[in-house]
Amino acid sequence: MQNCCDLPPAGRARSRCPSSGVAGKAVDWKTVAALTRGPIPPRQRFRLCRDAGCEVVYYGSAGAVFRLDDLDVRPGFKQGGDGLVCYCFLHRRGDLARELREGGPSRIFDSIRDAVEAGDCACEVRNPSGKCCLGEVRSTIRNLQREPEVTR
């Protein structure tokens, strides 16, 4: 007998987004269920499309497709500019840029890291990737440090 919370064994999400053709990353059903509007989507294997120019965010093995307008939160990687990089504590790219312009090490990164270490985050259901944001925050800081208008 199958547990009500198990994923169905049949079907795999296609590896490429049905709209952009970009290879997607696997994401847990619970992440999709937590971030989409309306009824909880049927259990299936989901992938995340990170292509900034594509409206599709999630697509599933049973054919479900969720676009930007279907989500409660706008993914920073789709939004660009001042998009969110930390979904638990609502830090944006612009927050990191301001901090770097002021000089010194990233207090934002340190505060997020400390909260994650204390177990005070919910990345698996708040972050559209379903993963911890620390890698994305670190990468954003590195990219911002290369921008002359930020490091002047």
Side-chain angles (χ1 to χ4, degrees):
M1 183 167 175
Q2 185 176 357
N3 180 327
C4 69
C5 295
D6 289 340
L7 285 172
R12 291 179 36 159
R14 54 194 135 174
S15 63
R16 299 203 171 268
C17 172
S19 180
S20 69
V22 170
K25 299 282 186 188
V27 65
D28 283 343
W29 167 84
K30 68 181 173 183
T31 302
V32 178
L35 295 177
T36 53
R37 291 188 180 129
I40 292 176
R43 286 190 178 274
Q44 56 196 287
R45 301 192 188 288
F46 281 98
R47 290 199 172 259
L48 169 72
C49 176
R50 291 188 61 98
D51 181 352
C54 182
E55 286 287 314
V56 171
V57 180
Y58 299 114
Y59 54 98
S61 58
V65 175
F66 295 99
R67 292 175 168 70
L68 288 168
D69 290 341
D70 298 323
L71 272 62
D72 287 326
V73 65
R74 189 143 181 113
F77 55 85
K78 294 280 191 179
Q79 186 174 358
D82 194 29
L84 283 171
V85 292
C86 174
Y87 298 84
C88 292
F89 306 106
L90 305 179
H91 293 294
R92 298 181 166 281
R93 185 178 188 277
D95 299 331
L96 296 169
R98 263 187 304 286
E99 187 176 65
L100 290 171
R101 279 194 297 271
E102 293 169 4
S106 175
R107 294 174 310 277
I108 291 173
F109 180 85
D110 292 343
S111 71
I112 296 168
R113 184 197 59 225
D114 293 346
V116 168
E117 287 174 359
D120 295 335
C121 66
C123 298
E124 66 279 0
V125 293
R126 297 204 61 163
N127 186 337
S129 73
K131 295 179 174 41
C132 179
C133 71
L134 282 175
E136 184 82 19
V137 172
R138 182 177 283 126
S139 174
T140 301
I141 290 170
R142 272 193 234 120
N143 290 337
L144 286 167
Q145 287 171 330
R146 293 184 201 123
E147 295 181 13
E149 64 274 8
V150 172
T151 56
R152 280 186 223 171

